[in-house]
Amino acid sequence: MLYFRMLLIMGVSLFTVRVVLDTLGTVDYGLYNVVGGIVTMFSFMSGVMASASQRFFAFELGRNNMSQLKKTFAMTMTIYVIIAVIILVLAETVGLWFLNNKMTIPPERMEAARWVYQFSILSFMMTMFTIPYDAAIIAHEKMNVYAWVSIVQVVLKLAIVYLLVVFSFDKLKLYAVLTFSVTTLISFIYRNYSKRKFEECRFAFYWDAALFKEIIGYSGWNIFGSLAGIFQDQGVNIILNIFFGPVVNAARAVAVQVNSSINQFVQNFMTATRPQIIKYYAIGEKEYMMRLIFQSSKFSFMLLFVLSMPVILDTKFILALWLKEIPEYVVLFIRLIVVKTLIDSVSYSLMTAAQATGKVRAYQSIVGGMILLNLPLSYVLLKLGYPPQGVFYLAIVIAIICFYLRLVLLKRMIALSVRSYFIKVILPLLLITIVAYILPFLFFERMNEGIVRFIIVGFVGLVSSGISIYVLGLTKNEKEFFKQTIRNITGRLNL
């Protein structure tokens, strides 16, 4: 269900970006992404609490402690109300001042930018109050529901595209209003389902100082890590706006959308895997947890690698098929951001393992501190006159350093063997990457650009990746499981 959801979302997302970019224009599309990003800057607390909610819900489910689960849900909802008030005040004061005085926005589009800002705040507020219900669905591993609601969401996004084309109202303002409307409807669906299906989601005010301290204590250092991620993403986006204007923001927005679409494969996999890692830790099954960490690190990279190969090689041709207007810098931006995501994909299970322990002070201060360097160093690079792609190269270097730091920290936190991880995960992935790229790269270099090259390179890349992954990436048990799965499928199809 998650992969069916992903395929639909990927197709719709890529289609809607094409239409929205064409309808809004490069400047307005860039404005929407960077102005909405200011609100995202203030949403770091909701991201922290989402992680905390999923961790605590999965932990109590792993221990089968329903009474404590109800208290945890009620406490998290109370905390969300407090956070909502704080973020609303910050967004309507500091954020609004920054929008009016520091952003590079054409004067004639300032009113529309304010519309985007206010409706982005409203959308954020609706999303934030939905997070505990969403976390409950994931913790209960009801992935089919999660998938179906996401499918409804992408259908509504198609409706947005249609209405943008049909109505003559200011397109940027209309896009902001319609996006808020979809967010509101999806929030209602999640909350209504969770209240009906999960006993703990029937909220009643509850206060427990000890539980509050435990949740906030866990979240405290995660706040720092979340802030680091926000500054790396939206902070750098705002710096790009200050130095280069909304056109570069539009190029980055397209690159992020392409990357997000293919990264959905990995996120779906981790959505299903994450609660299991936490539950294994909760009941003390360290061996199973470690095995799942190694496998999910490896499989996350493999999934993304197969999808990313044609995108990295034939970026320009894909964009020509997809977009009517290709923003400057977007080809290089896409390649660099996908490379960074490939590096990060190996770390997703490591991040979950760290969160499962609940003891994240050293982890977040060290890794988060390194990620946070993206913002000041990016500013220094651009101030020295480097082109916009310099911030992406910097992000790749920092991602590699952070990956190594996670391994070192997890060695102390859960006794993860760094040597074993390199032998069983990193070495096979490096071999796969080198071997799988040889043939498709040769075809790419020797053929002229066009649909024929795209199809051949894509097919050769798929075959070479598949063979390399099977021969170099899978263990004996994993190969046997794969063969048994194929036999089961062919048996059902009577082949």
Side-chain angles (χ1 to χ4, degrees), residues 434-466:
I434 295 170
V435 173
Y437 257 101
I438 294 174
L439 276 178
F441 182 76
L442 289 175
F443 277 96
F444 176 79
E445 283 293 303
R446 294 173 183 274
M447 297 181 68
N448 294 323
E449 182 180 299
I451 189 65
V452 175
R453 185 182 73 174
F454 176 71
I455 293 173
I456 292 176
V457 169
F459 176 75
V460 172
L462 181 63
V463 173
S464 65
S465 297

Side-chain angles (χ1 to χ4, degrees), residues 59-76:
F59 195 89
E60 298 304 337
L61 282 170
R63 298 197 303 177
N64 198 27
N65 191 340
M66 185 56 64
S67 174
Q68 188 62 28
L69 180 59
K70 291 179 182 179
K71 294 176 182 178
T72 303
F73 180 86
M75 195 71 245
T76 56

Side-chain angles (χ1 to χ4, degrees), residues 291-335:
R291 186 188 306 165
L292 189 55
I293 290 170
F294 278 49
Q295 288 180 331
S296 55
S297 288
K298 192 166 59 174
F299 295 157
S300 293
F301 181 92
M302 291 172 181
L303 285 168
L304 188 60
F305 177 78
V306 172
L307 283 169
S308 66
M309 183 182 288
V311 174
I312 290 176
L313 286 175
D314 229 343
T315 316
K316 188 176 180 181
F317 179 74
I318 293 172
L319 288 172
L321 287 177
W322 176 33
L323 301 176
K324 294 181 180 179
E325 179 184 356
I326 301 176
E328 188 181 2
Y329 297 112
V330 72
V331 173
L332 183 56
F333 283 7
I334 288 174
R335 287 172 173 162

